[in-house]
Amino acid sequence: MEKIRVYGGQRVNGSVQISGAKNSALPLLTASILSEEGLTLRNVPPLSDVSTMLSLLETLGVECSVSSNKDYSETVICKTDSINNFTAPYAIVKKMRASILVLGPLLARYGHCSVSLPGGCAIGVRPIDLHLKGLKAMGAQVDLRDGYVYAEAKSGLKGAEFEFPISTVTGTENLLMAAVMADGETVLKNAAREPEIVDLANCLIKMGAKIEGQGTSEIRVVGVPRLHRAEHSVLVDRIEAGTYAIAAAITKGQVDLIGGDFRKLLPTFIEKMEECSLIFEDIPNGLRAKYAGEIRPIDFRTAPFPDFPTDLQAQTMALLCLASGRSVIDETVWENRFMHVAELARMGANISVSGSQATVHGVDHLVGAPVMATDLRASFSLVLAGLAAEGDTVVDRVYHLDRGYCFAEKKLADCGVRVDRIK
Ligand code: EPU
């Protein structure tokens, strides 16, 4: 298993090209299923989760051709006129829960499919009951047998009104994709408002879908008989940008985040970082994040967009370990997303957890140690802690990191700091 050695006591000073968002690329790839004319996606991040999605699409009969570009991105051309398998197998779904995103598109285009139930996950139970409830509201018959969801809509899906009791990102994406070719109008209430959903809707509109209200809590879709070929560039990854901003803060350095409107994509995170330790300056095509001279403790609560993203909680916690006082973090999205606490503690952090709240008592310094990545975002929080620590840190199980951060060593080198991968 590969590891990353992080040399402590380094300072970030440089510029980083932010890649396309994993959580946009995955639903966009499954959106290709909706049209027999295929889809071309640009700015796709070369990540292991993207490779897993490509394997799943290929299992269904989609032909995917991938070419690498100079700017850390890939272009993926999905040819979708020979789909001949309608089952997403357990072997792939267990590796990546976002595989569930084939459910809406397969049902919309073919009227039947089966998708393995994803099973447990390190950060929470992660049920898909709301995806299924919404599809049932649109007339699908849904059965659970042998660990699989069997869904059928023999005479096609019907437009419906569905209100999500809680905000779900992939749930909204699945129903949005199911609705674009349904008969009549679908209204999704209390829909998730994440920028990645807007990106998906914009791509579907390029493919001929009739959608309004994306980015608000009410999305309206009028079904059309078919979608057509389109080209789309994947939205920039706000979580990767936030992670590198924290790298600047924790190392008392500075970084230029290149490639997007990060003020719009990370409103609450930026506000909290300004309160804590960073000054932001607008630069052409990006944002500069500069250490403000101290790391002040902050309290925050994770919640759906536009609030503080849960996907930046672990990285922010690493920073707060070195704050000049006590911070309180309330994790309201996932019930078990504090696995990094025990690893940070191995580096000298002082954190106590009670239910959904973590109280971080800032310490003077962290000390390098061998630590283990427990999930994707936790993995980078340990790298960040390692950059600021005294001595070296070796992060094990970096396959978690490779799911969502491409070219991490190269990008960190672009920021002026060195980490080495140990094969
Ligand atoms: N939930 C239900 N029932 C459902 C669906 C969700 O109870 O049918 C609950 C979940 O258990 C959770 C909450 O609703 O407590 C929110 O879950 P959501 O469905 O929004 O999460 P997701 O769509 O499975 C996406 C991202 C995650 C990110 C969350 C929250 C993708 C592929 N994944 O997951 O990304 O944490 O939204 O923003 O878009 C990551 O990138 O590290 C990651 C975990």
Side-chain angles (χ1 to χ4, degrees), residues 68-142:
S68 300
N69 306 316
K70 281 189 203 137
D71 59 352
Y72 295 131
S73 79
E74 288 176 343
T75 299
V76 179
I77 301 175
C78 300
K79 214 168 146 276
T80 48
D81 55 1
S82 51
I83 293 176
N84 54 9
N85 175 24
F86 310 97
T87 300
Y90 180 56
I92 297 183
V93 179
K94 73 175 181 193
K95 282 204 228 167
M96 189 184 67
R97 306 181 56 89
S99 306
I100 194 69
L101 286 165
V102 300
L103 182 60
L106 281 176
L107 197 56
R109 181 159 158 210
Y110 297 99
H112 67 101
C113 66
S114 51
V115 178
S116 169
L117 283 163
C121 171
I123 62 176
V125 181
R126 306 189 80 169
I128 53 157
D129 55 316
L130 302 176
H131 303 228
L132 305 185
K133 240 180 155 173
L135 292 174
K136 282 186 199 164
M138 295 172 75
Q141 197 189 321
V142 177

Side-chain angles (χ1 to χ4, degrees), residues 296-300 320-321 323 325-329 358-362:
R296 286 181 289 266
I298 51 166
D299 296 343
F300 71 91
L320 295 177
C321 289
R326 190 191 77 147
S327 306
V328 179
I329 302 175
T359 305
V360 186
H361 302 272

Side-chain angles (χ1 to χ4, degrees), residues 66-308:
V66 180
S67 52
S68 300
N69 306 316
K70 281 189 203 137
D71 59 352
Y72 295 131
S73 79
E74 288 176 343
T75 299
V76 179
I77 301 175
C78 300
K79 214 168 146 276
T80 48
D81 55 1
S82 51
I83 293 176
N84 54 9
N85 175 24
F86 310 97
T87 300
Y90 180 56
I92 297 183
V93 179
K94 73 175 181 193
K95 282 204 228 167
M96 189 184 67
R97 306 181 56 89
S99 306
I100 194 69
L101 286 165
V102 300
L103 182 60
L106 281 176
L107 197 56
R109 181 159 158 210
Y110 297 99
H112 67 101
C113 66
S114 51
V115 178
S116 169
L117 283 163
C121 171
I123 62 176
V125 181
R126 306 189 80 169
I128 53 157
D129 55 316
L130 302 176
H131 303 228
L132 305 185
K133 240 180 155 173
L135 292 174
K136 282 186 199 164
M138 295 172 75
Q141 197 189 321
V142 177
D143 294 310
L144 301 183
R145 284 195 313 273
D146 316 321
Y148 277 75
V149 176
Y150 290 87
E152 202 173 74
K154 274 195 183 133
S155 43
L157 292 165
K158 310 262 176 294
E161 186 172 307
F162 183 74
E163 179 158 357
F164 291 96
I166 54 170
S167 172
T168 155
V169 176
T170 50
T172 301
E173 291 165 347
N174 242 337
L175 294 196
L176 177 59
M177 290 190 279
V180 289
M181 290 196 290
D183 184 16
E185 187 181 24
T186 299
V187 183
L188 300 177
K189 294 192 165 175
N190 195 25
R193 293 179 287 163
E194 270 63 10
E196 293 74 20
I197 291 169
V198 178
D199 198 34
L200 172 65
N202 289 343
C203 176
L204 292 169
I205 289 168
K206 286 182 193 165
M207 295 169 79
K210 291 194 174 148
I211 304 170
E212 279 176 10
Q214 62 273 24
T216 75
S217 56
E218 185 168 303
I219 304 181
R220 287 179 175 266
V221 186
V222 177
V224 295
R226 66 187 58 78
L227 298 187
H228 52 71
R229 220 195 84 73
E231 282 194 26
H232 185 77
S233 184
V234 178
L235 174 74
V236 71
D237 194 326
R238 62 196 166 102
I239 305 302
E240 189 191 34
T243 303
Y244 282 95
I246 296 170
I250 202 168
T251 63
K252 304 181 166 44
Q254 161 173 333
V255 67
D256 287 355
L257 310 164
I258 308 295
D261 185 350
F262 300 112
R263 284 193 192 274
K264 204 166 126 200
L265 294 170
L266 288 166
T268 310
F269 171 77
I270 287 182
E271 202 177 288
K272 281 286 160 190
M273 284 301 111
E274 280 172 339
E275 197 183 317
C276 175
S277 53
L278 284 172
I279 295 165
F280 292 94
E281 287 169 9
D282 295 308
I283 54 170
N285 195 25
L287 196 62
R288 175 167 298 157
K290 257 163 78 175
Y291 179 59
E294 61 177 318
I295 305 175
R296 286 181 289 266
I298 51 166
D299 296 343
F300 71 91
R301 148 182 181 275
T302 65
F305 188 85
D307 281 339
F308 198 102

Side-chain angles (χ1 to χ4, degrees), residues 325-345:
R326 190 191 77 147
S327 306
V328 179
I329 302 175
D330 194 0
E331 171 57 62
T332 76
V333 179
W334 298 115
E335 63 276 22
N336 194 27
R337 209 174 202 182
F338 283 142
M339 305 251 287
H340 41 283
V341 166
E343 301 303 308
L344 290 169

